[in-house]
Amino acid sequence: MLIKIYNDNPNPKAIAQAVDILKRGGVIIYPTDTVYGIGCDITQQKAIERVCEIRGLKPDKANLSFICYDLTDISQYTKSFDTTVFRVLKKALPGPFTFIFNATTKVPKLLSSKKKTVGIRVPDNNIVREIVKQLGNPIVTTSIHDEDEIIEYSTDPELIYEKYQDLVDAVIDGGYGDNVASTVVDLTEGTFDVIREGKGDLEQYL
């Protein structure tokens, strides 16, 4: 199923359709402020396993992140952090960053590595944030492109649909995506350690 949703003005009926798929344990592909992502409801363990299978990842070793609606959601899943970190997050989010935190017990075991960390995103994209808001849970997310290889199907929703239509329950067409991944920042030691340079420039928020 290909569902067209406009980022500037997401159609509530189309959002509800995507949310219903996720609530029933479905897997969807959706736009973010960087590359298109593939994911599911954080509470649906079988769906998380399916996402890993589609992407060829081992669940216990996969560095899966999840998408929250805003900073309020983040605090449920991460151990407390200081006001300096909070101020930077408030300025940088929503934005093209993945922040890695120490995880709380609310994070499903499949998502926290042996180090008990979790990656969190609040993308600057109204479509996926509205889906998360209506769902009431974060969405587990991983990008659909290979990190080292920028391929056209990563950015064109119709080509994404052609490739993945038999593997996922829906592809959300939010227009052309970007082909640069998010900037990954490790906050587990309380400092801003950029471990992957991507679309986001952290320096301007520090």
Side-chain angles (χ1 to χ4, degrees), residues 3-4 12 28 42 45 49 55 58-59 87 93 120 134 155 167 172 175-177 192-193 196-197 200:
I3 306 171
K4 178 75 180 171
I28 65 170
I42 191 176
Q45 184 161 326
E49 289 170 0
R55 283 286 281 108
K58 290 186 176 175
R87 277 200 293 269
L93 298 174
I120 293 199
Q134 300 303 329
T155 60
L167 298 172
I172 310 297
Y176 270 85
F192 294 91
D193 182 16
R196 181 183 76 192
E197 291 284 358

Side-chain angles (χ1 to χ4, degrees), residues 98-150:
T98 300
F99 289 104
I100 299 171
F101 296 90
N102 292 306
T104 65
T105 51
K106 274 203 165 189
V107 176
K109 286 191 170 60
L110 266 179
L111 293 181
S112 56
S113 63
K114 287 175 184 171
K115 290 189 293 184
K116 301 292 180 211
T117 60
V118 63
I120 293 199
R121 288 216 63 204
V122 182
D124 188 10
N125 180 282
N126 295 327
I127 298 168
V128 72
R129 286 182 69 225
E130 198 56 36
I131 290 171
V132 167
K133 188 180 182 183
Q134 300 303 329
L135 179 64
N137 296 319
I139 291 177
V140 174
T141 186
T142 183
S143 59
I144 62 165
H145 81 310
D146 297 319
E147 297 299 347
D148 304 325
E149 201 176 348
I150 302 304

Side-chain angles (χ1 to χ4, degrees), residues 3-7 9-17 127 130:
I3 306 171
K4 178 75 180 171
I5 305 180
Y6 294 95
N7 186 42
N9 188 21
N11 181 320
K13 279 188 178 174
I15 294 289
Q17 198 178 0
I127 298 168
E130 198 56 36

Side-chain angles (χ1 to χ4, degrees), residues 158-206:
E158 291 190 5
L159 293 179
I160 291 168
Y161 179 66
E162 276 179 32
K163 182 177 174 67
Y164 288 98
Q165 61 182 316
D166 296 329
L167 298 172
V168 301
D169 300 286
V171 174
I172 310 297
D173 176 354
Y176 270 85
D178 206 324
N179 61 6
V180 181
S182 63
T183 293
V184 180
V185 185
D186 188 340
L187 291 171
T188 56
E189 301 294 329
T191 56
F192 294 91
D193 182 16
V194 176
I195 57 177
R196 181 183 76 192
E197 291 284 358
K199 190 176 176 183
D201 177 13
L202 191 67
E203 287 297 319
Q204 61 183 309
Y205 303 108
L206 296 176

Side-chain angles (χ1 to χ4, degrees), residues 27-44:
V27 171
I28 65 170
I29 289 175
Y30 41 83
T32 71
D33 52 356
T34 58
V35 297
Y36 266 77
I38 179 171
C40 62
D41 182 334
I42 191 176
T43 65
Q44 302 280 351

